[in-house]
Amino acid sequence: MLQVGQKAPAFKAPSTQGLIDLRTYLGKKPIVLIFYPKDHTPDCTRQLSAVRDAIQQYGKLNAFILGINSAELAEHEKFTAKENYPFPLVSDEDGLINRLYEVGQNLVFGGQKRTLFVIGTDGLIHYARHGIPTTDEVMKELRKAHRVELP
């Protein structure tokens, strides 16, 4: 897994909101990358729904959020429609983004490891963690990394 202080790799990939070119956002706003194993599973749905439910908090910090896994775009579109996710889900079918961020594979359940990165406006990784951090933890890391206080 890439570590805090490393430069965040740019990528281009299809998403539920069109082609994402991370270079469009790097250096301009904080970015939250959520690598999750599989669409429509209880833990992944709970994780992404917590982000959806806190979208106003993320918005106050001007954060750009991406969910990423290897599912086909059509599967991401079904998942987004069912759960009303306001942020893009990126299709990483060839595993390039997983390899760029050194996320690795979940050997028990298949798919990639559940990992979250916060990228600062300086283009560097400010937070990297396997598992499911709480919304409060991510907000704290966003504020710390960007010296932004919530109103």
mmCIF file of all heavy atoms in Angstrom, residues 124-150:
data_model
loop_
_atom_site.group_PDB
_atom_site.id
_atom_site.type_symbol
_atom_site.label_atom_id
_atom_site.label_comp_id
_atom_site.label_asym_id
_atom_site.label_seq_id
_atom_site.Cartn_x
_atom_site.Cartn_y
_atom_site.Cartn_z
ATOM 1 N N LEU A 124 -0.179 14.831 -2.477
ATOM 2 C CA LEU A 124 0.454 13.778 -1.677
ATOM 3 C C LEU A 124 -0.591 13.022 -0.867
ATOM 4 O O LEU A 124 -1.639 13.567 -0.511
ATOM 5 C CB LEU A 124 1.487 14.376 -0.725
ATOM 6 C CG LEU A 124 2.639 15.139 -1.366
ATOM 7 C CD1 LEU A 124 3.553 15.708 -0.283
ATOM 8 C CD2 LEU A 124 3.420 14.263 -2.337
ATOM 9 N N ILE A 125 -0.278 11.770 -0.550
ATOM 10 C CA ILE A 125 -1.149 10.976 0.305
ATOM 11 C C ILE A 125 -0.967 11.452 1.741
ATOM 12 O O ILE A 125 0.146 11.483 2.252
ATOM 13 C CB ILE A 125 -0.839 9.482 0.148
ATOM 14 C CG1 ILE A 125 -1.184 9.056 -1.283
ATOM 15 C CG2 ILE A 125 -1.602 8.656 1.180
ATOM 16 C CD1 ILE A 125 -0.740 7.671 -1.639
ATOM 17 N N HIS A 126 -2.081 11.834 2.359
ATOM 18 C CA HIS A 126 -2.055 12.306 3.748
ATOM 19 C C HIS A 126 -2.576 11.252 4.724
ATOM 20 O O HIS A 126 -2.373 11.373 5.923
ATOM 21 C CB HIS A 126 -2.892 13.577 3.885
ATOM 22 C CG HIS A 126 -2.211 14.784 3.330
ATOM 23 N ND1 HIS A 126 -1.579 15.702 4.116
ATOM 24 C CD2 HIS A 126 -2.043 15.214 2.052
ATOM 25 C CE1 HIS A 126 -1.059 16.648 3.364
ATOM 26 N NE2 HIS A 126 -1.323 16.379 2.107
ATOM 27 N N TYR A 127 -3.275 10.247 4.193
ATOM 28 C CA TYR A 127 -3.868 9.220 5.047
ATOM 29 C C TYR A 127 -4.027 7.961 4.198
ATOM 30 O O TYR A 127 -4.453 8.037 3.048
ATOM 31 C CB TYR A 127 -5.224 9.704 5.550
ATOM 32 C CG TYR A 127 -5.991 8.743 6.411
ATOM 33 C CD1 TYR A 127 -5.648 8.549 7.737
ATOM 34 C CD2 TYR A 127 -7.093 8.053 5.908
ATOM 35 C CE1 TYR A 127 -6.373 7.669 8.544
ATOM 36 C CE2 TYR A 127 -7.817 7.186 6.703
ATOM 37 C CZ TYR A 127 -7.457 6.998 8.020
ATOM 38 O OH TYR A 127 -8.170 6.134 8.811
ATOM 39 N N ALA A 128 -3.665 6.828 4.756
ATOM 40 C CA ALA A 128 -3.803 5.544 4.067
ATOM 41 C C ALA A 128 -4.117 4.485 5.113
ATOM 42 O O ALA A 128 -3.383 4.345 6.086
ATOM 43 C CB ALA A 128 -2.516 5.193 3.327
ATOM 44 N N ARG A 129 -5.226 3.763 4.904
ATOM 45 C CA ARG A 129 -5.622 2.772 5.909
ATOM 46 C C ARG A 129 -6.420 1.655 5.268
ATOM 47 O O ARG A 129 -7.337 1.910 4.492
ATOM 48 C CB ARG A 129 -6.471 3.444 6.979
ATOM 49 C CG ARG A 129 -6.967 2.474 8.018
ATOM 50 C CD ARG A 129 -7.758 3.161 9.114
ATOM 51 N NE ARG A 129 -8.164 2.182 10.087
ATOM 52 C CZ ARG A 129 -9.425 1.884 10.352
ATOM 53 N NH1 ARG A 129 -10.405 2.489 9.724
ATOM 54 N NH2 ARG A 129 -9.724 0.978 11.255
ATOM 55 N N HIS A 130 -6.090 0.406 5.623
ATOM 56 C CA HIS A 130 -6.932 -0.728 5.271
ATOM 57 C C HIS A 130 -8.109 -0.741 6.241
ATOM 58 O O HIS A 130 -7.999 -0.281 7.380
ATOM 59 C CB HIS A 130 -6.173 -2.050 5.394
ATOM 60 C CG HIS A 130 -5.149 -2.276 4.324
ATOM 61 N ND1 HIS A 130 -5.430 -2.184 2.982
ATOM 62 C CD2 HIS A 130 -3.848 -2.618 4.402
ATOM 63 C CE1 HIS A 130 -4.346 -2.447 2.280
ATOM 64 N NE2 HIS A 130 -3.356 -2.705 3.127
ATOM 65 N N GLY A 131 -9.231 -1.276 5.822
ATOM 66 C CA GLY A 131 -10.401 -1.389 6.683
ATOM 67 C C GLY A 131 -11.409 -0.290 6.412
ATOM 68 O O GLY A 131 -11.371 0.368 5.375
ATOM 69 N N ILE A 132 -12.322 -0.113 7.353
ATOM 70 C CA ILE A 132 -13.386 0.878 7.218
ATOM 71 C C ILE A 132 -13.247 1.921 8.321
ATOM 72 O O ILE A 132 -13.689 1.701 9.449
ATOM 73 C CB ILE A 132 -14.784 0.234 7.308
ATOM 74 C CG1 ILE A 132 -14.943 -0.863 6.268
ATOM 75 C CG2 ILE A 132 -15.872 1.298 7.135
ATOM 76 C CD1 ILE A 132 -16.260 -1.607 6.333
ATOM 77 N N PRO A 133 -12.633 3.062 8.018
ATOM 78 C CA PRO A 133 -12.571 4.115 9.029
ATOM 79 C C PRO A 133 -13.945 4.743 9.208
ATOM 80 O O PRO A 133 -14.775 4.723 8.292
ATOM 81 C CB PRO A 133 -11.576 5.117 8.438
ATOM 82 C CG PRO A 133 -11.621 4.881 6.970
ATOM 83 C CD PRO A 133 -11.966 3.432 6.782
ATOM 84 N N THR A 134 -14.185 5.299 10.377
ATOM 85 C CA THR A 134 -15.451 5.990 10.614
ATOM 86 C C THR A 134 -15.468 7.320 9.861
ATOM 87 O O THR A 134 -14.419 7.846 9.491
ATOM 88 C CB THR A 134 -15.648 6.276 12.117
ATOM 89 O OG1 THR A 134 -14.640 7.213 12.532
ATOM 90 C CG2 THR A 134 -15.576 5.003 12.952
ATOM 91 N N THR A 135 -16.658 7.853 9.667
ATOM 92 C CA THR A 135 -16.789 9.165 9.028
ATOM 93 C C THR A 135 -16.030 10.208 9.829
ATOM 94 O O THR A 135 -15.325 11.044 9.258
ATOM 95 C CB THR A 135 -18.278 9.557 8.904
ATOM 96 O OG1 THR A 135 -18.929 8.585 8.071
ATOM 97 C CG2 THR A 135 -18.446 10.937 8.300
ATOM 98 N N ASP A 136 -16.143 10.147 11.157
ATOM 99 C CA ASP A 136 -15.426 11.110 12.003
ATOM 100 C C ASP A 136 -13.920 11.026 11.790
ATOM 101 O O ASP A 136 -13.236 12.050 11.738
ATOM 102 C CB ASP A 136 -15.753 10.892 13.485
ATOM 103 C CG ASP A 136 -17.159 11.323 13.847
ATOM 104 O OD1 ASP A 136 -17.776 12.088 13.074
ATOM 105 O OD2 ASP A 136 -17.641 10.889 14.915
ATOM 106 N N GLU A 137 -13.398 9.811 11.656
ATOM 107 C CA GLU A 137 -11.962 9.633 11.435
ATOM 108 C C GLU A 137 -11.535 10.242 10.098
ATOM 109 O O GLU A 137 -10.519 10.939 10.018
ATOM 110 C CB GLU A 137 -11.618 8.140 11.474
ATOM 111 C CG GLU A 137 -10.144 7.842 11.389
ATOM 112 C CD GLU A 137 -9.843 6.360 11.513
ATOM 113 O OE1 GLU A 137 -10.706 5.575 11.967
ATOM 114 O OE2 GLU A 137 -8.717 5.978 11.144
ATOM 115 N N VAL A 138 -12.319 10.010 9.048
ATOM 116 C CA VAL A 138 -11.979 10.563 7.732
ATOM 117 C C VAL A 138 -12.075 12.088 7.764
ATOM 118 O O VAL A 138 -11.196 12.778 7.240
ATOM 119 C CB VAL A 138 -12.876 9.969 6.625
ATOM 120 C CG1 VAL A 138 -12.570 10.611 5.278
ATOM 121 C CG2 VAL A 138 -12.689 8.450 6.538
ATOM 122 N N MET A 139 -13.118 12.624 8.407
ATOM 123 C CA MET A 139 -13.260 14.086 8.509
ATOM 124 C C MET A 139 -12.071 14.692 9.258
ATOM 125 O O MET A 139 -11.522 15.719 8.852
ATOM 126 C CB MET A 139 -14.557 14.470 9.233
ATOM 127 C CG MET A 139 -15.824 14.162 8.488
ATOM 128 S SD MET A 139 -15.945 15.055 6.941
ATOM 129 C CE MET A 139 -16.113 13.686 5.849
ATOM 130 N N LYS A 140 -11.665 14.040 10.331
ATOM 131 C CA LYS A 140 -10.521 14.512 11.117
ATOM 132 C C LYS A 140 -9.272 14.539 10.241
ATOM 133 O O LYS A 140 -8.505 15.513 10.257
ATOM 134 C CB LYS A 140 -10.314 13.596 12.324
ATOM 135 C CG LYS A 140 -9.112 13.930 13.171
ATOM 136 C CD LYS A 140 -8.956 12.927 14.303
ATOM 137 C CE LYS A 140 -7.640 13.112 15.009
ATOM 138 N NZ LYS A 140 -7.382 12.056 15.984
ATOM 139 N N GLU A 141 -9.062 13.483 9.476
ATOM 140 C CA GLU A 141 -7.883 13.414 8.613
ATOM 141 C C GLU A 141 -7.948 14.443 7.492
ATOM 142 O O GLU A 141 -6.929 15.046 7.139
ATOM 143 C CB GLU A 141 -7.709 11.999 8.047
ATOM 144 C CG GLU A 141 -7.399 10.961 9.086
ATOM 145 C CD GLU A 141 -6.129 11.249 9.875
ATOM 146 O OE1 GLU A 141 -5.173 11.815 9.321
ATOM 147 O OE2 GLU A 141 -6.088 10.893 11.066
ATOM 148 N N LEU A 142 -9.142 14.664 6.933
ATOM 149 C CA LEU A 142 -9.291 15.705 5.900
ATOM 150 C C LEU A 142 -8.971 17.082 6.474
ATOM 151 O O LEU A 142 -8.252 17.866 5.867
ATOM 152 C CB LEU A 142 -10.709 15.704 5.324
ATOM 153 C CG LEU A 142 -10.997 14.702 4.225
ATOM 154 C CD1 LEU A 142 -12.493 14.627 3.951
ATOM 155 C CD2 LEU A 142 -10.248 15.054 2.954
ATOM 156 N N ARG A 143 -9.507 17.382 7.660
ATOM 157 C CA ARG A 143 -9.244 18.690 8.282
ATOM 158 C C ARG A 143 -7.774 18.841 8.614
ATOM 159 O O ARG A 143 -7.170 19.881 8.382
ATOM 160 C CB ARG A 143 -10.098 18.848 9.557
ATOM 161 C CG ARG A 143 -11.553 19.141 9.275
ATOM 162 C CD ARG A 143 -12.308 19.554 10.521
ATOM 163 N NE ARG A 143 -12.263 18.558 11.564
ATOM 164 C CZ ARG A 143 -13.143 17.575 11.716
ATOM 165 N NH1 ARG A 143 -14.148 17.451 10.883
ATOM 166 N NH2 ARG A 143 -13.028 16.712 12.699
ATOM 167 N N LYS A 144 -7.172 17.784 9.168
ATOM 168 C CA LYS A 144 -5.765 17.825 9.553
ATOM 169 C C LYS A 144 -4.882 17.991 8.313
ATOM 170 O O LYS A 144 -3.958 18.813 8.308
ATOM 171 C CB LYS A 144 -5.395 16.546 10.308
ATOM 172 C CG LYS A 144 -4.024 16.575 10.925
ATOM 173 C CD LYS A 144 -3.754 15.459 11.901
ATOM 174 C CE LYS A 144 -4.269 14.118 11.530
ATOM 175 N NZ LYS A 144 -3.823 13.023 12.391
ATOM 176 N N ALA A 145 -5.170 17.243 7.291
ATOM 177 C CA ALA A 145 -4.353 17.265 6.080
ATOM 178 C C ALA A 145 -4.476 18.598 5.339
ATOM 179 O O ALA A 145 -3.543 19.016 4.664
ATOM 180 C CB ALA A 145 -4.742 16.115 5.155
ATOM 181 N N HIS A 146 -5.608 19.247 5.480
ATOM 182 C CA HIS A 146 -5.855 20.448 4.697
ATOM 183 C C HIS A 146 -6.051 21.705 5.538
ATOM 184 O O HIS A 146 -6.346 22.751 5.018
ATOM 185 C CB HIS A 146 -7.074 20.211 3.791
ATOM 186 C CG HIS A 146 -6.934 18.933 3.039
ATOM 187 N ND1 HIS A 146 -5.969 18.754 2.072
ATOM 188 C CD2 HIS A 146 -7.574 17.763 3.142
ATOM 189 C CE1 HIS A 146 -6.047 17.518 1.605
ATOM 190 N NE2 HIS A 146 -7.004 16.904 2.252
ATOM 191 N N ARG A 147 -5.906 21.508 6.846
ATOM 192 C CA ARG A 147 -6.051 22.627 7.782
ATOM 193 C C ARG A 147 -7.365 23.388 7.552
ATOM 194 O O ARG A 147 -7.397 24.594 7.491
ATOM 195 C CB ARG A 147 -4.852 23.559 7.692
ATOM 196 C CG ARG A 147 -3.577 22.911 8.142
ATOM 197 C CD ARG A 147 -2.391 23.846 8.045
ATOM 198 N NE ARG A 147 -1.206 23.258 8.563
ATOM 199 C CZ ARG A 147 -0.358 22.518 7.867
ATOM 200 N NH1 ARG A 147 -0.602 22.260 6.621
ATOM 201 N NH2 ARG A 147 0.725 22.031 8.417
ATOM 202 N N VAL A 148 -8.439 22.622 7.376
ATOM 203 C CA VAL A 148 -9.758 23.190 7.147
ATOM 204 C C VAL A 148 -10.617 22.824 8.350
ATOM 205 O O VAL A 148 -10.662 21.670 8.749
ATOM 206 C CB VAL A 148 -10.405 22.638 5.865
ATOM 207 C CG1 VAL A 148 -11.815 23.151 5.697
ATOM 208 C CG2 VAL A 148 -9.551 23.007 4.668
ATOM 209 N N GLU A 149 -11.303 23.786 8.887
ATOM 210 C CA GLU A 149 -12.212 23.536 10.003
ATOM 211 C C GLU A 149 -13.648 23.556 9.496
ATOM 212 O O GLU A 149 -14.014 24.396 8.687
ATOM 213 C CB GLU A 149 -12.039 24.599 11.100
ATOM 214 C CG GLU A 149 -10.694 24.546 11.785
ATOM 215 C CD GLU A 149 -10.440 23.247 12.533
ATOM 216 O OE1 GLU A 149 -11.404 22.676 13.079
ATOM 217 O OE2 GLU A 149 -9.301 22.781 12.540
ATOM 218 N N LEU A 150 -14.439 22.623 9.971
ATOM 219 C CA LEU A 150 -15.848 22.656 9.646
ATOM 220 C C LEU A 150 -16.497 23.839 10.347
ATOM 221 O O LEU A 150 -16.144 24.167 11.479
ATOM 222 C CB LEU A 150 -16.528 21.367 10.101
ATOM 223 C CG LEU A 150 -16.231 20.126 9.278
ATOM 224 C CD1 LEU A 150 -16.788 18.896 9.953
ATOM 225 C CD2 LEU A 150 -16.809 20.266 7.896
#
